[in-house]
């Protein structure tokens, strides 16, 4: 009891000191987020959804590179909530990262919590979203990060900038969808529609009037800030008769390349230039799923918006749909995903770890099964579906891992150390698998990283249960995607093919079905940082872990102290 009191004393003392330092250092912009239910009608049916400030999607926040903002979150909903600033590295400030039971306890109904969001190297498009259960289905919005004042883009100034947010919509309450999936252990029911900026578009019932429209002038260039906020789907996206030129991804600039369509995984963002260089008229922007899981139900609908040239006659002529690859066209997907390259220029240098790598990790990511405890499970052979990293299916504890680590609480609260390599290697991508390797086990897992150490993670996909692509997202850090391929990773041959010259800097990487992706980063951001698949059902099933980056020796290499008003569990 005495040791707990001492810990609390130091916790409060460091918090007060930290608040003093922060008040002395940063000028901030303030925003209010009121989380509450609001009635929305889609697909001929009205329902209440959780929103921020009554808006769906939520408000777009505009900042400049290096800014700091504060957001006060008022939870006027019925359930716990947290907000995550996706892709914002938050240097030394994991306290405002947002994932429930990882860096904070949730904000309970009727409570208020204030977050400081510190921008650093990010420049381009990111987004914010809820990070508790499935509330991010409707609680999300864009983050537009302009260059520093006085700076310019590495491409010609666009005439206009437009957020384009892809989402999903269920006719029923998403809480019911989640509860049903957890109870039965099966795949959640697919969404009833995809959306662009909250609207399903012309091809769905009762949706034509609300279809999002982008009015363009001939010969102008528009910067589309595309965000995939969908819960469970990678997307193809295109505009009929127009090409898209990618100039940024995950708030980092890339060497421009032009394609008829683009590919974007859940959690990822793309900055694309649209040149309005076609005849006056109306053209469909459309998005549909890319899904490779065998015998896995998914939403096979297409969402649309309309690009309309100003001056087009008012008489309505149905636009033509653009070409979109087939749902399972892996070659088409990675023809795009494999083209991203950093600028790697004097003005936009990159710093890829290339020398001694202190930490090398092989994380096998897979869909698995767990024995059923209630005889109601509808997963494979009567099991409950699960997911894992190195055969540990992550379990949330009713504690805040970050605070437990900061207060040097019992090691049991931090869980077990996730192995750096699979403990029982097998042929991960074989057509037929021994049923034994499908089973996993539950646990809370973390991996400690020394401050400033160079880290390589190879994500290895498997063919277990329902092999498919996995968009893996790391909080608190961006990483260089140095390599990827199909089949099993060969630790002798595949590193010889790495791109160490101009790899893209991203916060979410799509790991190909039955393939691998290798990323590198420097662990120079002390704190607790979540790593998970951004397909929501996979995160729910346990494809998660957490990195604990330890403090360095200097003050500027240590975590900032916690705020006083962290929510209690």
């Amino acid at each position: 009891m005495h040791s707990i009191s001492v810990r609390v004393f130091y916790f409060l003392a460091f918090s007060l000191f930290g608040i003093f330092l922060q008040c002395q250092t940063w000028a901030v912009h303030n925003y209010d987020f009121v989380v509450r239910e609001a009635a929305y009608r889609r697909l001929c049916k009205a329902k209440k959804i959780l929103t921020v400030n009554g808006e769906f999607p939520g408000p777009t926040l505009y900042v400049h590179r290096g800014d700091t903002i504060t957001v006060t979150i008022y939870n006027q909903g019925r359930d716990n909530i947290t907000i995550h600033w996706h892709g914002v590295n938050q240097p030394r400030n994991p306290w405002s990262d947002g994932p429930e039971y990882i860096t904070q306890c949730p904000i309970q109904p009727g409570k208020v919590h204030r977050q400081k969001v510190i921008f650093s190297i990010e420049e381009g498009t990111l987004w914010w979203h809820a990070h508790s259960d499935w509330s991010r289905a409707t609680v999300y919005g864009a983050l537009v990060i302009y260059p520093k004042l006085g700076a310019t883009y590495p491409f010609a100034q666009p005439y206009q900038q437009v957020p384009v947010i892809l989402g999903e919509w269920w006719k029923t309450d998403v809480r019911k969808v989640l509860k049903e999936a957890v109870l039965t252990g099966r795949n959640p029911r697919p969404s009833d529609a995809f959306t662009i900026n909250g609207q399903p578009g012309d091809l769905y019932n009762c949706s034509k009037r609300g279809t999002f429209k982008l009015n363009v002038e001939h010969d102008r260039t528009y910067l589309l800030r595309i965000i995939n906020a969908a819960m469970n789907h990678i997307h193809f996206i295109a505009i009929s008769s127009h090409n898209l030129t990618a100039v940024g991804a995950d708030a980092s600039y890339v060497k421009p390349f032009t394609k008829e369509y683009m590919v974007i995984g859940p959690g990822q963002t793309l900055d694309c230039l649209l040149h309005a260089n076609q005849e006056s008229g109306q053209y469909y922007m459309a998005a549909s799923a890319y899904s490779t899981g065998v015998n896995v139900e998914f939403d096979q609908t297409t969402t649309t918006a309309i690009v309309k040239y100003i001056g087009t006659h008012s008489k309505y002529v149905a636009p033509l749909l653009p070409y979109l690859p087939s749902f399972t066209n892996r070659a088409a997907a990675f023809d795009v995903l494999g083209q991203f390259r950093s600028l790697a220029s004097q003005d936009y240098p990159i710093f890829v770890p290339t020398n001694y790598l202190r930490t090398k990790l092989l994380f096998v990511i897979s869909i698995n099964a767990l024995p059923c405890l209630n005889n109601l499970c509808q997963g494979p052979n009567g099991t409950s579906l699960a997911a894992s990293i190195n055969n540990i299916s992550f379990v949330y504890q009713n504690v805040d891992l970050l605070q437990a680590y900061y207060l040097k609480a019992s090691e049991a609260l931090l869980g077990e150390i996730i192995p750096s390599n699979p403990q029982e290697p097998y042929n991960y991508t074989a057509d037929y698998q021994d049923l034994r390797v499908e089973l996993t086990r539950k646990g809370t897992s973390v991996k400690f990283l020394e401050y400033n150490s160079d880290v390589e993670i190879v994500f290895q996909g498997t063919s277990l249960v329902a092999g498919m692509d996995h968009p893996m997202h790391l909080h608190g850090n961006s990483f260089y995607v140095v390599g990827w391929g199909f089949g099993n990773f060969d630790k002798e041959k595949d590193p010889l093919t790495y791109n160490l010259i101009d790899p893209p800097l991203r916060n979410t990487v799509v790991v190909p079905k039955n393939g691998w992706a290798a990323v590198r980063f420097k662990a120079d951001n002390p704190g607790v940082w979540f790593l998970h698949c951004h397909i929501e059902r996979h995160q729910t099933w346990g494809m998660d872990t957490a990195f604990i980056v330890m403090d360095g020796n200097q003050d500027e290499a240590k975590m900032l102290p916690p705020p006083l008003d962290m929510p209690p569990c």
Side-chain angles (χ1 to χ4, degrees), residues 116 129 159 161 319 344 358 460 514 526 532:
K116 178 189 290 289
H129 61 81
Y159 177 67
Q161 305 184 32
R358 183 171 297 175
Q460 173 67 61
N514 291 344
H532 63 93

Side-chain angles (χ1 to χ4, degrees), residues 10-25:
Y10 281 115
F11 180 82
L12 293 174
F14 278 121
S15 297
L16 288 169
F17 181 65
I19 289 172
F20 170 77
L21 286 179
Q22 293 170 36
C23 289
Q24 299 298 309
T25 306

Side-chain angles (χ1 to χ4, degrees), residues 231-233 266 468-471 533-539:
M231 297 285 280
N232 293 310
H233 292 84
M468 61 185 302
D469 305 75
H470 298 290
C533 181
H534 222 278
I535 290 179
E536 201 70 15
R537 66 182 187 272
H538 297 172
Q539 180 187 324

Side-chain angles (χ1 to χ4, degrees), residues 283-399:
Y283 299 85
Y284 268 139
M285 175 192 298
S288 62
Y290 162 60
S291 182
T292 54
V294 177
N295 298 321
V296 177
E297 289 183 286
F298 66 95
D299 189 334
Q300 299 188 31
T301 63
T302 300
T303 180
T304 57
I306 293 176
V307 176
K308 180 182 179 181
Y309 280 74
I310 294 173
T312 297
H313 296 301
S314 57
K315 184 178 179 181
Y316 183 81
V317 178
L320 295 176
L321 282 169
Y323 165 75
L324 291 171
S326 62
F327 299 128
T328 59
N329 194 334
R330 184 174 71 170
F334 281 87
D335 179 55
V336 174
L337 292 170
Q339 292 202 34
F340 288 91
R341 299 285 187 273
S342 289
L343 288 181
S345 64
Q346 183 175 349
D347 291 334
Y348 300 93
I350 62 172
F351 305 95
V352 189
T354 57
N355 296 318
Y356 173 70
L357 296 170
R358 183 171 297 175
T359 304
K360 283 191 173 184
L361 306 172
L362 176 60
F363 279 177
V364 173
I365 52 178
S366 60
I367 307 299
N368 303 94
L370 286 167
C372 187
L373 302 179
N374 57 17
N375 297 319
L376 297 175
C377 297
Q378 299 173 23
N381 302 310
T383 61
S384 177
L385 284 169
S388 68
I389 299 177
N390 280 355
N391 212 43
I392 301 175
S393 184
F394 191 87
V395 176
Y396 294 88
Q397 302 189 65
N398 193 32
V399 297

Side-chain angles (χ1 to χ4, degrees), residues 263-281:
V263 182
I264 182 169
Q268 292 185 326
T269 66
L270 290 178
D271 290 333
C272 291
L273 296 178
L274 166 66
H275 301 289
N277 56 7
Q278 298 299 306
E279 294 181 1
S280 291

